[in-house]
Amino acid sequence: MIADATREIWRSPEVQSAQTINNYFEALPLAPEKHYTWQVSVQDNHANVVTSAPVGFFTTTDWAGIPFISAQPATALPVFTRQFTLHQTPSAVASAILYVSGLGAYAVQMNHHNLQAIGDERLEILNPGWTDYHTRINYQAYDVQADLKRDNHVNIPVGKGYFLGRIAQFSNYESLFTDGIKRPLLIFKLVITYTDGQQQTVTSAETDKWAYYDDYRVVDNDIYDGETIDFRLAPGELQPVVTPPIDQAAVRQTLAPSHEAKVYELLDQQNSPVASANYRIDRIGSKATLPLGAVQLVDVHHEDWRADRQQRLLFDFGQNMAATLAVTFHANTLALTKIEVRTGEILNDGQGDVVQQTGSDGPKNTLHHRNLVSEIGGDARSAEVFYTQDEKVHTVNARWTFHGYRYVEVVTDGPVTIQAIQQIPVSSLTHQTAWLQTNNAAVNRLIKNIQFSEQSNYLSIPIDSPNRAERAGWTADAQIFAQSGLMGFDSVAFLGHYLKVINQTEVGSAYQIIMPQSFLPKLAQARAAGWSDIGIVLPWRLYQFTGDKTFVTQYYPQITAYMRQIGPLTTTATTYDEHLFGDWLGFAPAATPFMNLIYRAYTAQLMTKMARVVADDLVQQQYAHLFKLVRAKIQEKYVADDETEEFHLLTRTADQVDRSFQGYSFVDDAETGLLWFLKLQLFTDETQKQRAIATLKRVVDNHDQTSRPTMPAKSLAVGFLGINVLLPELSAAGLNDQAYDLLLSDQNPSWLLAVKNGATTLWERWDSYTQERGISPDAMNSYNHYAYGSIAQWLYATMLGINVTPSRGEDAIVIAPKIDRGQVYNDESRITTVTGEMDSVYGPIKVAWQSDGAALTSLKVTIPVNTQATLKLPLADARRLNLVSHEASAPDSYELTLAAGTTSFGQSQ
């Protein structure tokens, strides 16, 4: 049912169906510029009716004839303002909808009310969000009826955001302006409808009624650098708005409604410091083991949060995350005082070389900064800077920026008291949809790290990290993590929006390495296997997760065009770059030319499936043929298997290359190569498959370091292009013990190495920090990078056992936990207890199991209403749960159909 503020507009006939999801209704001729609500009623088989709460949505507006307005370019924060009077009394207003957008980032106040506040829970920042502004500018809508008075005042500050700040230095947005000089832009349309049917519109077309002033107090605001505020200054005088030198009609044409990917301050999740200390910068102790020395931290309580020229304050919030910073302070002098509130992910350990720029960049216990510097993007100051010449109390919540940090250091040239300081998380994700806990504390911490890294990096678009001078839309990170990301948080709309962004760019169907374009164009615009292929992988992931075919059908023309740009369908030749990326940051990677062929086969395989979805038989046949060509090429060039010796995959020597783009040595029998060989079924027969599995087992076990002399036993060696297939394919190949061994490894490289070293988010490098080397001497070293979190798909689907694939149709829910039957080999407890839940598109699915290390001893499963699930268990587990008698002969696995509700087996019955 759809209704407006006064009446029901449409109600569907009763639909007799057991289908829970993807029920489409006919397109309705809804009026533009309206606020509607929709509700769904469901009747069960006992005639009980449940009706959803009303959910509101806005219809679009027509921007024809309404111009963007602007200010002079040499200002950090112009504030656009105007006043207007209602034609009738506020009580006569039936509806009032504001449509607005701006470039860089805008905030809207109507009669001193921040329209972007959503109760006390969250607050929108950095609107209109990040897209390729050459081809798409999002606009938002707000219901402002309750905010209107007879006489009204609108204030709209426009900060730098993703358009005017350093993050856009390589995006060529200057080309939108005829003089090549970027300026802030604002477009505004308020539609007021009265109860008698009359309308009043207030728009940016009435330029003589608009003005702006420079808020000179905000000297700078930049996503990389932070905010600089000078409290000695005052706002400037009102000035007439400027008509920007742009093609108004062309830029208006790029406006698109969007509420799916906003960035929010999560006000209800803000954090206070868990620890606070001070130290003297003039007292650096020296030790032979610490080349850079150490400072002595002295714990201090809230009432002693004071800093001066020699004494600094250090706050630990206990959790690394993407966040804004809110601080209340006052100077204890009338002299000019500069206060820097610096943010960072880690503290220095005192080991390193400042001149060579390796390791720490200061004494032990001080804030580490070097990892915020990008070789291409430059330095990210990542601090709020304040100037004051008074003793007044000042409170600032810096919302034109965000930082990736756990620690905050206060540096000042005069006496200052910090009265309050808060870390306020920022994310586009507001609803967690998966929970998981085991008996192993380190694994539980890893699960939390994955969740925090996902929330930190899903910011308007999927970015690589929220910390350094980069924060770009690297497409490999996004496609590798997509399946895990969809499980962890309600991110379908978010990733669906990103799918729009990558299909609506200057380059059309030419998917690229970084989207939208930022960072170095030569790098961003290249095509690399696993990176630019996001245009193929992401729609398939969304279709699998939701069962919604439109994710495939809507972009099918662009998808097929891209595949032909990568290469002809009649040969194995590709236009992928043969040097860039590959199995990025893997310790023992497969050669990039090999990975190019792997991704050509993978995307050809996906294309056959997507062609089947859209009933394109010819294309399906073409890509099935292409896949066969690539398989034959890999067999011919890379497989060494004469059945008299071990199976080998020549992932280095066949291409006669030695090192990856990041300097790691390529190897034969690379784990990533073997995993993909098995996943794509590139073997000739079952015999070759089993021989390849035996080689994979040998490489992973690395017994006595015979396979990888420089790496420990039971070690992973994959990078970005192997991480999302590592554990799933080990389990699928019958090497489930090895999968658990790798999960529980805490040696270098491993997931738990970071946990062992205090990580609260995922790292970019396996060895971003080790006890032996300290802080990695390598450039590019983020401590909040989500790609390696793609292990989550295995944790939920294989360890917990919840598999939900609506695209399969009737067999959409499968419960198939694979327990840990491995042996203890380090200090980590083997997994014997797992409890978790996933809020799927069908509803919540819950699983809890216990084992004795040999078989399941209890299992409890909850399936949502109107669905059923298939339980699949190994025979040993089914027997232990008394599902099969010990004497009865049976196949190796057991299956049982589970009805909706909760079913218990074994001890939990």
Side-chain angles (χ1 to χ4, degrees), residues 591-725:
T592 301
F594 173 83
M595 293 309 302
N596 289 352
L597 275 178
I598 286 293
Y599 259 83
R600 190 59 168 164
Y602 177 46
T603 53
Q605 193 178 79
L606 293 184
M607 286 301 301
T608 61
K609 297 176 181 179
M610 286 191 275
R612 195 177 302 128
V613 170
V614 300
D616 190 340
D617 293 340
L618 176 60
V619 167
Q620 183 179 340
Q621 294 169 13
Q622 290 173 330
Y623 282 102
H625 178 66
L626 176 60
F627 178 83
K628 291 178 181 178
L629 290 177
V630 178
R631 181 169 60 186
K633 180 71 172 181
I634 288 174
Q635 281 286 335
E636 172 197 350
K637 182 176 180 180
Y638 294 97
V639 173
D641 183 26
D642 61 7
E643 299 190 12
T644 61
E645 298 180 1
E646 293 179 325
F647 173 94
H648 290 290
L649 198 61
L650 306 180
T651 48
R652 179 184 70 85
T653 54
D655 289 305
Q656 298 182 339
V657 289
D658 293 323
R659 290 188 176 273
S660 71
F661 186 70
Q662 268 288 313
Y664 293 94
S665 295
F666 292 130
V667 298
D668 286 335
D669 294 330
E671 286 178 4
T672 295
L674 291 163
L675 292 160
W676 278 102
F677 182 83
L678 292 167
K679 175 181 174 60
L680 298 178
Q681 300 182 21
L682 299 174
F683 40 79
T684 54
D685 53 29
E686 182 64 22
T687 297
Q688 190 179 79
K689 173 186 175 181
Q690 293 304 320
R691 289 168 60 77
I693 290 174
T695 298
L696 177 61
K697 181 180 185 301
R698 173 177 55 79
V699 168
V700 171
D701 286 342
N702 198 21
H703 183 64
D704 291 333
Q705 297 179 296
T706 53
S707 295
R708 302 281 183 266
T710 61
M711 298 176 66
K714 302 182 186 298
S715 61
L716 60 83
V718 301
F720 275 36
L721 296 189
I723 195 63
N724 62 327
V725 296

Side-chain angles (χ1 to χ4, degrees), residues 14 114 142 190 301 317 348 440-441 510 531 624:
E14 185 175 291
N114 191 333
Y142 299 93
L190 172 59
H301 298 294
F317 288 92
N348 286 309
N440 184 300
W531 267 256

Side-chain angles (χ1 to χ4, degrees), residues 32-44:
E33 299 171 348
K34 295 280 287 183
H35 185 203
Y36 293 103
T37 60
W38 65 268
Q39 292 178 275
V40 176
S41 294
V42 177
Q43 179 173 297
D44 67 13

Side-chain angles (χ1 to χ4, degrees), residues 539-590:
W540 180 251
R541 291 287 183 225
L542 285 162
Y543 166 59
Q544 281 186 305
F545 189 79
T546 64
D548 185 350
K549 295 180 180 180
T550 61
F551 286 117
V552 172
T553 58
Q554 184 175 356
Y555 303 107
Y556 190 68
Q558 292 99 311
I559 290 170
T560 53
Y562 167 79
M563 287 295 289
R564 291 181 180 276
Q565 291 167 2
I566 292 300
L569 306 188
T570 54
T571 75
T572 60
T574 73
T575 58
Y576 290 133
D577 191 291
E578 294 208 342
H579 304 285
L580 288 177
F581 307 125
D583 194 21
W584 185 245
L585 300 182
F587 273 31

Side-chain angles (χ1 to χ4, degrees), residues 300-365:
V300 292
H301 298 294
H302 175 267
E303 60 269 19
D304 296 316
W305 287 355
R306 288 185 289 270
D308 57 36
R309 185 180 297 274
Q310 298 298 337
Q311 180 171 283
R312 297 181 177 181
L313 277 172
L314 184 68
F315 297 99
D316 178 5
F317 288 92
Q319 176 62 55
N320 193 21
M321 65 173 66
T324 60
L325 185 67
V327 59
T328 299
F329 68 93
H330 66 83
N332 299 314
T333 176
L334 294 177
L336 174 61
T337 305
K338 178 183 179 182
I339 304 106
E340 289 187 72
V341 185
R342 302 173 178 174
T343 68
E345 296 186 288
I346 59 169
L347 299 182
N348 286 309
D349 64 1
Q351 302 179 57
D353 189 316
V354 174
V355 176
Q356 297 298 320
Q357 297 187 346
T358 59
S360 292
D361 56 11
K364 182 179 180 179
N365 298 326

